[in-house]
Amino acid sequence: LWAVAKAICVIVAIIIASRTLLRPIMRIVAQTEIREIFVAFSLLLVISVSLAMQSVGLSMALGTFLAGVLLADSEYRYELRLDIEPIKGLLLGLFFIAVGMSVDLKLIANSPLMIFGFAFLIVLTKIAILMGLGHLFKYSFRDKLLFGVTLSQIGEFAFVIFGLALTQNTIPRETYNILNAIVAVSMLTTPILLLLYNRF
């Protein structure tokens, strides 16, 4: 209970600080009209919030997400988005390279039916659910199908969650490898399904 109380206090303190301090500070930084300082301040904010979350036992990934929400809520979100656009592709590339290197290819080769079976089951289930949601909003069949196919893969945040679970000894290494492989295969299905969608 004490750990939960500390985590809630830190999150509330971060939100209050963002409402009272973040915007005035960002205005001062923006007035310098130096792009590098603006980006550096944003990165400093992300690192600070991540470390604050880690200090109360929460994951740095959650802190990074919270910092991103705070920055997205600022009046300079569009300028910041343009400034970090060149860096974003590089960081995403590094992330997916690291993820790709963590996938156990021998496991996929030894148990293809299990890995591909689970991946396709999850993808098809998500497509069905998303198309059902599209039906509620009265999308056309083609739009419903595009909506379902585009979001059918398991999100890349799953890699972060599984990695954290492994470091906390919540799941064994074998389970981690299986889950990682399933997520990777599900992400490979999206461009293939989009290609088939565009053909037909």
Side-chain angles (χ1 to χ4, degrees):
L1 288 174
W2 173 238
V4 172
K6 280 198 303 182
I8 291 171
C9 286
V10 167
I11 292 171
V12 170
I14 289 170
I15 292 170
I16 292 172
S18 73
R19 295 290 182 185
T20 56
L21 299 174
L22 181 60
R23 290 182 181 179
I25 292 172
M26 288 195 78
R27 286 193 194 102
I28 294 168
V29 172
Q31 283 170 2
T32 64
E33 296 183 358
I34 301 174
R35 187 175 178 178
E36 289 77 12
I37 294 177
F38 196 59
V39 174
F41 172 76
S42 301
L43 293 175
L44 176 64
L45 176 71
V46 171
I47 293 168
S48 301
V49 173
S50 300
L51 290 174
M53 297 296 271
Q54 188 186 40
S55 68
V56 293
L58 298 174
S59 72
M60 292 186 79
L62 180 60
T64 305
F65 175 76
L66 181 59
V69 171
L70 297 178
L71 288 170
D73 192 43
S74 74
E75 59 200 89
Y76 298 102
R77 58 185 175 273
Y78 298 115
E79 292 88 341
L80 183 60
R81 184 176 177 180
L82 289 173
D83 288 342
I84 65 169
E85 195 68 36
I87 309 168
K88 186 177 75 173
L90 176 64
L91 294 177
L92 276 173
L94 288 172
F95 173 75
F96 283 111
I97 288 169
V99 165
M101 291 173 68
S102 71
V103 174
D104 189 350
L105 296 178
K106 286 183 180 178
L107 176 66
I108 297 175
N110 293 333
S111 308
L113 288 177
M114 178 182 69
I115 302 298
F116 283 90
F118 274 115
F120 283 122
L121 179 64
I122 292 168
V123 166
L124 291 174
T125 303
K126 284 191 72 177
I127 288 174
I129 292 170
L130 291 165
M131 287 185 72
L133 289 172
H135 183 71
L136 287 176
F137 289 96
K138 296 181 171 49
Y139 290 176
S140 68
F141 177 77
R142 192 164 174 80
D143 288 342
K144 283 189 288 189
L145 188 59
L146 179 62
F147 179 52
V149 167
T150 306
L151 300 176
S152 62
Q153 78 279 4
I154 303 171
E156 59 272 9
F157 201 69
F159 293 120
V160 178
I161 294 170
F162 297 151
L164 183 64
L166 180 67
T167 57
Q168 298 289 328
N169 295 319
T170 308
I171 58 174
R173 168 65 67 174
E174 294 77 15
T175 305
Y176 169 78
N177 289 339
I178 291 169
L179 293 172
N180 252 14
I182 291 170
V183 173
V185 169
S186 80
M187 296 180 86
L188 286 173
T189 61
T190 303
I192 296 169
L193 290 173
L194 282 172
L195 185 64
L196 292 172
Y197 171 85
N198 290 327
R199 287 283 180 88
F200 298 103

